Amino acid sequence: MPKFPISGYSVDFPFEPYDVQKAYMEKVIESLESNQNAMLESPTGTGKTLSLLCSSLAWLLVKKAEYQATKPMVPDLKDIDNLESLQDFLNLKPSTPKIIYASRTHTQLSQAMQEMKRSGYANVKAVVIGSRNQMCIHPEISKETNNSNQINLCKYAVKKKQCSYHVSVEHRKDHEEFREAGVIDIEDLVTKGKKLHTCPYYVAKELYKEADMVFMPYNYILDPKARRANQIDLTNTIVILDEGHNVEKMCEDSMSLQLTSTDVASAITDVGFAMEKLAQQQETSDPEGYEERKDISLDDLATLKELLLALEKTIDVIQLDFKKGATFGGEYIYDFLSQASINFQNFKAILSLIDNILQYFAVIAVSKTSGTKGGGLQKLADLLVIVFAHNTDEYREKVTKCYRVHVDTEEQNTYGSRDGWKSTKPSSTLAKQFNFWCFSPAFGMDFLRGVRNVIITSGTLAPMKPLISEMGIDMPIQLENPHIVSTEQVCVKVVSQGSDKEPLISNYNNRDNPKYITSLGRTILSFAPVIPGGVLIFFPSYGLMSKCQSAWQESGLWTQISNIKTIFVEARNKIDFQDTMTEYYARIRDPTSRGAIFMAVCRGKVSEGLDFADLNGRAVFIPGLPFPPLFDSRVVLKKQYLDENRRNNSEMISGNDWYCLEASRAVNQAIGRVIRHKNDYGAILLCDSRFRQPQQKNQLSKWVQGHLNSPGSNGITFGPLIGEVSRFFRNAEKKFGNPEHQIKRFDYGTLPSTSSTSSRKADNFLQDGGWGKFIKAMEEKKNSSSSQSVIDTYKDVPETSKLQNQDFLSNLDGGVQSIDFNDVTSYEAASSSGQLESNSTGARKRKYRLVENDKREDLLPELGPEREIEQELPEKRVDCLKYIKTKLSTPDYKKFVLCVNDYNLQGNVEKFYATLHSLFGTPRNHYILRGMKRFTKQPHRDTFENLLSRL
């Protein structure tokens, strides 16, 4: 690979770096060279990860070579007089630092390691630190689904030397399979571990000692519990925290804990259970657990149970205001635990005993003698690890300053939301919830003060000043890079109102407004045809997303949007989430598809670290600002904490400013999903009028602000706005389009081919060039009165696109053509056998043909042999419809009409019949009324449904 000079170092880079990449690498090397901390922002798509890896490794290899050249010689051990020199040599610390590359998830780490494998530094020694769940290959322990049980089973097997995979680590760790230079990821470790019959988890810990670069999730560094469990040594290390926009929250969450009355009661029960089991084993001389009795005695368990009972009583006597709870300073935690006789003198013994009990529970759980136990004990142990981390006045003073203890009534069915906040209703029980909350990221970052230097980097760190003030460590080196793309590749618009002029604003007072929810759905429906490929919608919360989903499905908007792009919804379950992502990407790749829509939530999995390059994400909708719950106790106390500290330190951010930044940072991160590389392009549609306010604009990333301040980015009426977005994609496709991944896109005025199956899926609203005329009409009325609704501009469409007769009931008396819903040909090619006939007397009688579904018998197993039924219907149209309603025996005829609409717009016969089967359930209801399709066409569908609702 070619090499390029960057700040005096020769950096191996796969291509000539862009200016933003050169600037980024210069800052990285400056930080490493000067031992100073750095905070570097470079938008997603600018090659941040590759630049970070190449520049840091180029610097490291030079330093490693310098150290090898000047490393002191090992003294001759035979020389007895040289003991002083030997002692000096042993006291020398290695001068070549180790780089720890940390990110939020293993998925992000895997992406970084793949980048390193493809770079010119693929031979540098690098290893990843993961969990037992990812690496265990023991035939029994690896099958354990409970993570806590798996950990304790592993610990027990290792301690008792019962795991042959761990026993072999000592002599297998130097095998050439592991010692050969190169990047070893989790998959490599597992593959090599199985081949050599050795434990990948413990081999990784051995390789860590000599690796030049180590990859790990950053909770392994910032969380004292994880750091203790993994024995992470940060001496002489350079810590790189990628995706660092989450570091602030991670520091607070990892240092915070919650202990409930239920947890303490569960712990008491578990200790009692252990006492009973040990007593039984002693009486029966049961060999099971014999070895455990050396670590756990009945006396120790009895003492622990007394402590837990005292702790339970201490929680019970706390007086509460049932509306606000009770709040104490951080120092209260020491008084609270001392009342249960837990202090610096005995906490280590308590932790050791709890650890042995948990291992014992894991063993007897495997032997099927009990279920999962030990959850309450584990929570207590985690609390003690943080509270008693250091026995110094300085540490206790920090706890007093950075923590608050909040006691409230215990919540039932507590569900932690993906955005990191909890919002649930308290139960009527008197059980209490003891919250030990850290409100200062500086408390967690303080554990990194011993490292050589820290580099925090992300695509969304702005504004940096308040973030640095909260981190509590100096960041003398800073960078805010512009984006690498041109103005022709990004289209940023504020959509402040829908097509019906309903204001789009998802604040607390308006988020439940049905008009707002409907208008938002129609807005997405209007934009969907002109956006190619994938569309991402990031809602402020799961609650709003769920409300919109339900309302759109009920009103039929969901079906209309689905007819243009298939809709996927972010799943909370890990397995379901992976399946949904796979289906979404497959839909995008489908050449017959118009793309797909992915509905997700800010701060969720989709908004963090996933790649939606090119057609996977051509546009992102942001329908609102994801503020934390305003009345959540933790949010209220956080704001109070910041306001109190601001009085003493003017550099600190205020509570209200922090509250606004929480929303803006989540928005910035979601926006970053769209533009992923130099030739990518996409639209950012901010569907909330608050984005027009200067305060909200200024909190967006600088590169977004540049596009947002361009002419026409806001304040434009809805119709021309769609036209601008349509033109943007037309022009971008011509200049930056990728012919290998072309996907059909509906452009206003462009019709799909009627020769393929997809022609049956065309939205009737687009038929006869309606959208093209619609846009043209809106352009002509751009300068007209702002009070006129955009929908009114459709009146100016030429008369040929309207009904010749505006009387709906009169039109019902017109000729009706029979349609076989099983026929895949176009409507115009339908058989004429269903045309209305005239009898000899001239009286007109209407015949409708009810045709059995003869193509999907697997969905309708109860249908008999194929047959056709003709039924004479009443003369008048209204009576005709009433008669059909009676024959179908459906309690809600409107649902049937919506079901027919679903078929007409999507053209999916299987889905249509399955829906009918679920709605009506009887065989006769699986005969489809010919002629229904005509009356469900736009723009008369709404009128038709209103008529039916009055029957």
Side-chain angles (χ1 to χ4, degrees):
M1 286 190 179
K3 295 187 176 182
F4 302 91
I6 305 291
S7 297
Y9 289 84
S10 180
V11 179
D12 210 337
F13 210 71
F15 50 85
E16 184 172 356
Y18 313 131
D19 291 340
V20 293
Q21 293 171 334
K22 290 179 180 177
Y24 186 88
M25 289 190 283
E26 288 171 357
K27 290 294 184 180
V28 171
I29 293 176
E30 180 185 351
S31 172
L32 299 175
E33 191 73 11
S34 63
N35 290 356
Q36 292 182 312
N37 299 327
M39 183 171 285
L40 313 176
E41 180 187 79
S42 193
T44 302
T46 55
K48 169 176 59 68
T49 301
L50 182 63
S51 301
L52 180 60
L53 290 171
C54 292
S55 56
S56 59
L57 289 171
W59 177 88
L60 180 66
L61 291 182
V62 170
K63 295 303 176 184
K64 189 174 181 179
E66 291 176 355
Y67 173 70
Q68 293 294 334
T70 59
K71 185 170 70 172
M73 297 294 294
V74 179
D76 189 355
L77 298 181
K78 296 180 181 179
D79 187 356
I80 301 177
D81 298 331
N82 205 23
L83 289 178
E84 184 176 347
S85 299
L86 175 61
Q87 186 66 41
D88 291 341
F89 178 82
L90 293 176
N91 289 336
L92 284 174
K93 294 182 179 179
S95 60
T96 304
K98 186 190 304 292
I99 297 178
I100 295 180
Y101 186 104
S103 191
R104 185 190 180 203
T105 66
H106 276 289
T107 301
Q108 294 165 344
L109 290 174
S110 178
Q111 293 172 356
M113 296 184 80
Q114 292 304 315
E115 287 276 15
M116 185 174 173
K117 285 183 176 181
R118 292 193 295 265
S119 73
Y121 301 96
N123 292 325
V124 176
K125 290 182 179 180
V127 69
V128 61
I129 302 297
S131 65
R132 290 175 173 85
N133 184 47
Q134 296 167 309
M135 296 188 183
C136 181
I137 58 175
H138 190 283
E140 298 299 329
I141 298 177
S142 62
K143 295 178 182 178
E144 177 58 53
T145 56
N146 182 278
N147 186 51
S148 177
N149 274 359
Q150 187 181 58
I151 292 172
N152 289 303
L153 279 172
C154 175
K155 288 181 179 180
Y156 176 81
V158 169
K159 182 170 67 175
K160 302 302 178 184
K161 300 186 184 303
Q162 295 177 355
C163 178
S164 59
Y165 296 92
H166 177 264
V167 171
S168 67
V169 168
E170 187 61 32
H171 65 275
R172 289 290 189 185
K173 65 182 181 180
D174 294 321
H175 195 279
E176 61 181 7
E177 289 276 355
F178 294 117
R179 290 301 175 184
E180 62 185 9
V183 184
I184 305 179
D185 58 23
I186 289 178
E187 184 178 348
D188 297 329
L189 284 167
V190 172
T191 301
K192 296 176 188 295
K194 289 179 178 178
K195 179 180 178 181
L196 301 175
H197 194 83
T198 192
C199 177
Y201 176 77
Y202 282 99
V203 165
K205 291 179 177 292
E206 295 295 328
L207 297 179
Y208 167 88
K209 299 174 183 177
E210 296 184 15
D212 297 312
M213 177 169 278
V214 182
F215 294 85
M216 67 180 70
Y218 52 56
N219 68 300
Y220 283 25
I221 301 173
L222 301 175
D223 189 336
K225 304 181 291 294
R227 192 166 57 244
R228 172 175 172 262
N230 291 280
Q231 300 176 342
I232 303 297
D233 182 13
L234 299 179
T235 305
N236 195 35
T237 58
I238 297 164
V239 176
I240 297 175
L241 300 175
D242 197 4
E243 301 300 331
H245 56 277
N246 286 308
V247 169
E248 175 191 19
K249 189 72 175 166
M250 173 63 72
C251 286
E252 292 184 359
D253 289 347
S254 63
M255 303 302 292
S256 300
L257 285 162
Q258 181 185 90
L259 190 68
T260 67
S261 296
T262 302
D263 294 329
V264 178
S266 174
I268 294 171
T269 303
D270 290 347
V271 172
F273 173 81
M275 293 174 70
E276 292 177 4
K277 288 292 296 181
L278 285 178
Q280 291 173 7
Q281 290 165 3
Q282 284 183 345
E283 292 174 359
T284 60
S285 299
D286 186 352
E288 178 193 350
Y290 176 77
E291 293 296 328
E292 286 74 21
R293 288 202 297 272
K294 294 181 179 179
D295 300 322
I296 307 172
S297 69
L298 287 174
D299 290 340
D300 289 339
L301 291 175
T303 302
L304 179 59
K305 188 171 183 178
E306 288 180 7
L307 294 178
L308 292 171
L309 288 169
L311 188 65
E312 184 179 47
K313 183 178 179 180
T314 304
I315 295 177
D316 289 341
V317 299
I318 298 175
Q319 298 297 317
L320 295 184
D321 179 334
F322 286 96
K323 291 184 178 179
K324 298 181 180 179
T327 303
F328 307 91
E331 71 282 357
Y332 177 75
I333 189 67
Y334 294 103
D335 296 334
F336 170 76
L337 293 174
S338 66
Q339 294 179 48
S341 301
I342 302 175
N343 48 49
F344 279 101
Q345 284 69 43
N346 63 3
F347 86 94
K348 289 185 178 179
I350 295 173
L351 287 175
S352 178
L353 179 58
I354 290 175
D355 194 41
N356 290 331
I357 293 173
L358 293 176
Q359 292 179 31
Y360 176 61
F361 284 156
V363 172
I364 62 178
V366 170
S367 64
K368 309 301 181 184
T369 60
S370 73
T372 302
K373 293 183 178 296
L377 289 170
Q378 184 64 64
K379 283 190 175 183
L380 177 60
D382 292 342
L383 178 66
L384 299 186
V385 168
I386 293 178
V387 174
F388 299 112
H390 300 287
N391 188 10
T392 63
D393 293 338
E394 180 184 2
Y395 183 78
R396 284 193 289 268
E397 185 178 340
K398 288 181 180 178
V399 170
T400 300
K401 179 182 178 182
C402 301
Y403 278 86
R404 296 292 182 270
V405 174
H406 182 75
V407 185
D408 208 340
T409 53
E410 184 175 345
E411 298 169 350
Q412 291 182 337
N413 300 324
T414 302
Y415 187 84
S417 63
R418 294 291 183 188
D419 58 11
W421 303 101
K422 294 180 184 293
S423 182
T424 53
K425 296 180 180 179
S427 68
S428 58
T429 179
L430 294 178
K432 295 183 177 66
Q433 183 172 280
F434 187 91
N435 300 292
F436 186 55
W437 286 331
C438 178
F439 290 121
S440 174
F443 189 89
M445 293 297 293
D446 193 57
F447 288 96
L448 300 182
R449 289 191 181 277
V451 304
R452 196 174 185 274
N453 61 310
V454 179
I455 298 176
I456 299 177
T457 183
S458 177
T460 53
L461 291 173
M464 288 187 179
K465 187 175 180 180
L467 182 60
I468 294 173
S469 69
E470 282 222 84
M471 290 292 183
I473 59 175
D474 293 331
M475 291 286 176
I477 300 174
Q478 301 174 28
L479 174 69
E480 288 187 63
N481 251 345
H483 211 296
I484 203 169
V485 296
S486 67
T487 56
E488 296 175 309
Q489 293 171 258
V490 183
C491 176
V492 184
K493 302 292 181 184
V494 176
V495 186
S496 57
Q497 61 182 17
S499 59
D500 54 0
K501 294 199 174 294
E502 177 70 25
L504 296 180
I505 179 169
S506 68
N507 58 19
Y508 181 79
N509 296 325
N510 200 49
R511 68 183 62 166
D512 294 328
N513 183 359
K515 291 183 179 180
Y516 159 71
I517 293 176
T518 299
S519 185
L520 178 62
R522 288 177 176 168
T523 298
I524 294 169
L525 174 64
S526 299
F527 278 102
V530 302
I531 300 174
V535 175
L536 307 174
I537 307 175
F538 289 107
F539 290 86
S541 65
Y542 281 103
L544 181 59
M545 182 172 73
S546 179
K547 288 176 185 176
C548 289
Q549 181 178 354
S550 300
W552 296 346
Q553 287 174 341
E554 184 177 347
S555 66
L557 276 170
W558 185 275
T559 299
Q560 296 177 52
I561 297 171
S562 298
N563 295 332
I564 303 171
K565 294 180 184 291
T566 306
I567 303 176
F568 297 86
V569 181
E570 179 180 6
R572 301 191 189 191
N573 179 275
K574 182 179 180 180
I575 297 177
D576 292 341
F577 176 79
Q578 293 172 346
D579 292 342
T580 304
M581 291 304 307
T582 301
E583 293 174 9
Y584 173 80
Y585 289 132
R587 189 66 177 176
I588 296 296
R589 292 192 299 269
D590 184 357
T592 65
S593 166
R594 302 183 208 170
I597 292 175
F598 205 115
M599 292 171 53
V601 174
C602 290
R603 301 189 188 93
K605 292 180 180 179
V606 176
S607 67
E608 297 280 348
L610 290 185
D611 191 7
F612 292 93
D614 301 318
L615 285 172
N616 289 330
R618 279 293 182 227
V620 57
F621 285 82
I622 308 291
L625 291 160
F627 291 104
L630 181 61
F631 301 109
D632 181 276
S633 298
R634 192 170 182 179
V635 174
V636 172
L637 290 175
K638 172 71 174 181
K639 293 173 69 175
Q640 290 177 1
Y641 169 84
L642 291 172
D643 290 336
E644 290 171 4
N645 283 272
R646 184 175 170 80
R647 299 189 189 105
N648 302 322
N649 182 3
S650 59
E651 293 294 322
M652 290 287 290
I653 189 174
S654 70
N656 284 332
D657 288 344
W658 165 85
Y659 187 74
C660 294
L661 281 174
E662 280 292 297
S664 298
R665 285 173 181 159
V667 168
N668 288 334
Q669 188 64 20
I671 288 174
R673 299 307 94 204
V674 176
I675 308 298
R676 305 297 294 181
H677 57 82
K678 183 183 179 182
N679 295 319
D680 205 355
Y681 61 91
I684 300 167
L685 302 172
L686 306 172
C687 300
D688 194 302
S689 59
R690 289 173 291 181
F691 283 109
R692 299 176 64 180
Q693 300 172 2
Q695 180 185 10
Q696 294 301 332
K697 284 185 180 181
N698 294 336
Q699 290 180 351
L700 296 173
S701 297
K702 283 189 174 180
W703 72 272
V704 177
Q705 292 182 40
H707 296 283
L708 191 58
N709 293 327
S710 62
S713 60
N714 52 62
I716 193 170
T717 55
F718 189 83
L721 192 60
I722 295 179
E724 287 198 15
V725 173
S726 177
R727 285 191 294 273
F728 163 77
F729 280 112
R730 282 202 303 269
N731 296 333
E733 279 188 33
K734 292 177 182 177
K735 190 168 184 179
F736 306 100
N738 186 353
E740 295 181 1
H741 301 287
Q742 285 298 328
I743 196 166
K744 286 205 205 77
R745 173 178 68 85
F746 268 87
D747 192 16
Y748 288 139
T750 303
L751 294 178
S753 172
T754 57
S755 60
S756 66
T757 305
S758 63
S759 66
R760 297 184 295 109
K761 301 181 179 181
D763 191 333
N764 292 315
F765 196 68
L766 297 173
Q767 204 166 3
D768 299 325
W771 267 117
K773 298 166 186 176
F774 177 52
I775 287 298
K776 182 179 179 181
M778 287 191 292
E779 290 285 357
E780 293 174 353
K781 299 182 73 64
K782 183 175 181 180
N783 298 321
S784 65
S785 172
S786 60
S787 62
Q788 183 181 13
S789 170
V790 174
I791 298 301
D792 292 339
T793 60
Y794 197 81
K795 297 174 183 177
D796 296 328
V797 176
E799 290 295 321
T800 55
S801 66
K802 303 180 183 180
L803 283 181
Q804 297 299 321
N805 192 335
Q806 296 298 322
D807 184 1
F808 177 72
L809 292 177
S810 299
N811 278 300
L812 286 177
D813 286 328
V816 177
Q817 186 177 10
S818 175
I819 299 176
D820 185 352
F821 279 66
N822 296 316
D823 188 355
V824 298
T825 57
S826 64
Y827 171 69
E828 287 77 9
S831 171
S832 61
S833 60
Q835 293 287 347
L836 299 181
E837 301 176 2
S838 300
N839 58 18
S840 57
T841 61
R844 303 174 61 202
K845 291 199 174 182
R846 300 168 185 79
K847 287 189 178 181
Y848 284 78
R849 205 175 287 275
L850 299 176
V851 183
E852 181 180 3
N853 175 19
D854 57 355
K855 298 191 177 182
R856 290 297 298 166
E857 295 180 359
D858 56 324
L859 288 174
L860 309 169
E862 67 274 30
L863 288 179
E866 181 178 349
R867 63 187 184 276
E868 223 177 51
I869 298 177
E870 287 194 323
Q871 186 76 36
E872 293 222 354
L873 299 178
E875 177 107 6
K876 293 184 179 179
R877 288 287 173 176
V878 174
D879 294 334
C880 171
L881 294 173
K882 286 182 178 180
Y883 176 79
I884 295 167
K885 176 182 176 182
T886 303
K887 284 296 182 183
L888 288 174
S889 302
T890 170
D892 189 348
Y893 189 68
K894 191 170 182 179
K895 285 185 179 179
F896 175 71
V897 176
L898 293 176
C899 182
V900 174
N901 291 345
D902 181 70
Y903 168 76
N904 289 337
L905 297 177
Q906 189 158 336
N908 190 328
V909 178
E910 296 180 9
K911 180 178 179 182
F912 176 63
Y913 280 105
T915 306
L916 281 181
H917 183 57
S918 64
L919 277 176
F920 307 132
T922 55
R924 62 181 174 181
N925 294 328
H926 297 296
Y927 298 99
I928 310 307
L929 175 65
R930 293 190 175 192
M932 179 66 73
K933 185 173 183 178
R934 169 173 179 171
F935 305 115
T936 58
K937 283 186 178 180
Q938 288 279 21
H940 312 292
R941 183 168 61 221
D942 293 340
T943 309
F944 181 62
E945 291 176 0
N946 289 334
L947 172 67
L948 294 175
S949 66
R950 295 196 296 270
L951 294 180

